Amino acid sequence: MSEHRTTVAGVAVDTRHWIGGQRVASPRTFTDASPIDGAPVGEISRGTATEARAAVAAAKAVFPGWAATPRAERARLLHAVADGVEKRTEELANVETVDNGALLRSHRRGVMPRVAHNFRFFADWLLTLEHEDFATRGHTNHVTWDPAGPCVLITPWNAPLMLATWKVAPALAAGNTVVLKPAEWSPLTASLLADIAAEAGLPAGVLNVVQGYGSEVGDALTSHPDVRRISFTGSVPTAQHIAASAAANLTPLSLELGGKSPLLVFADADLDLAVDLAVEQYDNAGQVCLAATRLLVEEAVAEEFTRRFVAKASRLRQGDPREESTDIGPTIHPRQVAKIDGFVRRALAAGARAVIGGHPGEGQYYAPTLLTDVRQDSEIVQEEVFGPVLTLQTFTSEDEAVHLANDTRFGLAATLATGDPERAERVTARLVAGTVWVNCFFVRDLKAPFGGSRHSGIGREGGTWSFDFYCDLKNTVTAPKGWKDHG
């Protein structure tokens, strides 16, 4: 590692901020370590209010020019960014695997292609964004989506680049300028994105990247009076803090927060499919906000379901995420390992039983865990663990299944396994969730609304919903008379 630069998996990564088209260093740094082995991978510039103000000022200064850029040109530049992502897919995949511990094969085949798709989708959607004019007593109503201004985007560590670009792409497409604050536990691919955007020709100051801790740089960003939109993905407590910070300026918020999602398995379900869906919840070491961590299984098939689940889960291989045969990688940080283990230990002390797992492994690896004999009002059922820990409860009726599914403060997602389409229709209509999957999981289309109910968030993103948030909607009403003759 040299000053302001580190090499990760053979890729050079600048460790400074990206502000106004320039690399900017901070006097202090923080250490970024790989969850694979705990080894340091870089000393990252540690932003403060100084860098936050500079980034917002840069975004504000170039906003009028970017907002006035024709839609077709904005779309062309976003496609150029997507081209750059595709050219560097292998580099991005390798860096992010080292930085956050998710599977390399997933980054190569799914995550990084999705990053490029995020830019292409919103670039193309921008060109079709329109509302049909309509008449009111002979007057014409014309709806437009006007760029709002500088946006602060605060992103999590579990899918750093994909979730960042899920916000960056529509914000830029809408004609806004952006200050991106990546999670301090996985900042590296955000820095590479700044390079890619600059190489694609994105004007200086349109995209800015500021690194650091929330308490030191995040507060300065979210409380800044020149910020017009804030989008955050992360925990409920942090969202509450951000909302309080933004309140003085009435800055609109989009919040995608925690989940405690259920997987309902009815006796008429394809049991092998249901087991596959359940084991899939260990993806990314359980560090997925949408994960269906509460398995709710009809009592008549619970014993057989559990037997098949244990057989399949026991075949999962946990280890180095860079190896093709690995199914589950490490947990992001030692603090997260301790948090997960605390949840499990308290649950076991309260009477839960570990069918599999129930303990950490070596380093930052936590054994895939399934807990039974848990109470509905217990911490392990009610609170988000964000690790490879599932609970299993049984039900005897449709009403009981729905009650258990809805009986938390969250409402991000739900998954349903049933062989009866009429039951599927009845149950999904009663579930409190932003997304419901029936006999499938994690099928997502950018045209669909995405977000959570209750404490799982505020607002929806995707398709036109993204532009509704990142824009000021305007309705222009024109009278049929009053024009002077200019002939």
Side-chain angles (χ1 to χ4, degrees), residues 284-297:
N284 201 20
Q287 299 168 128
V288 178
C289 58
L290 293 163
T293 56
R294 295 185 296 131
L295 309 182
L296 307 177
V297 184

Side-chain angles (χ1 to χ4, degrees), residues 73 96 105 124 161 167 183 188 198 210 214 230 236 240 254 286 288 292 321 333 387 410 420 428 435 463 481 483 485:
E73 176 61 9
E96 189 144 296
R105 70 171 192 246
D124 292 341
L161 192 57
K167 300 177 186 297
L188 297 183
V210 179
I230 299 170
V236 172
Q240 291 169 329
S254 175
V288 178
H333 194 275
F410 297 104
D420 183 345
T428 56
T435 300
K481 299 185 295 185
W483 304 109
D485 185 0

Side-chain angles (χ1 to χ4, degrees), residues 11-98:
V11 181
V13 183
D14 202 301
T15 57
R16 294 171 291 180
H17 314 286
W18 178 252
I19 299 174
Q22 301 289 328
R23 287 293 178 179
V24 176
S26 294
R28 294 191 299 165
T29 63
F30 64 92
T31 301
D32 180 32
S34 173
I36 299 173
D37 54 12
V41 294
E43 290 297 318
I44 312 300
S45 279
R46 182 171 169 176
T48 64
T50 299
E51 290 82 5
R53 288 191 293 266
V56 174
K60 181 181 179 181
V62 301
F63 168 69
W66 180 245
T69 300
R71 285 187 178 190
E73 176 61 9
R74 293 205 303 264
R76 185 192 69 78
L77 286 167
L78 292 184
H79 275 291
V81 174
D83 292 341
V85 169
E86 289 175 347
K87 289 176 184 175
R88 301 186 69 176
T89 289
E90 188 68 15
E91 294 181 7
L92 292 166
N94 278 282
V95 169
E96 189 144 296
T97 294
V98 171

Side-chain angles (χ1 to χ4, degrees), residues 424-435:
E425 186 175 352
R426 287 194 308 270
V427 172
T428 56
R430 299 172 63 190
L431 293 173
V432 179
T435 300

Side-chain angles (χ1 to χ4, degrees), residues 359-367:
H359 56 83
E362 295 183 5
Q364 290 175 214
Y365 294 82
Y366 201 90

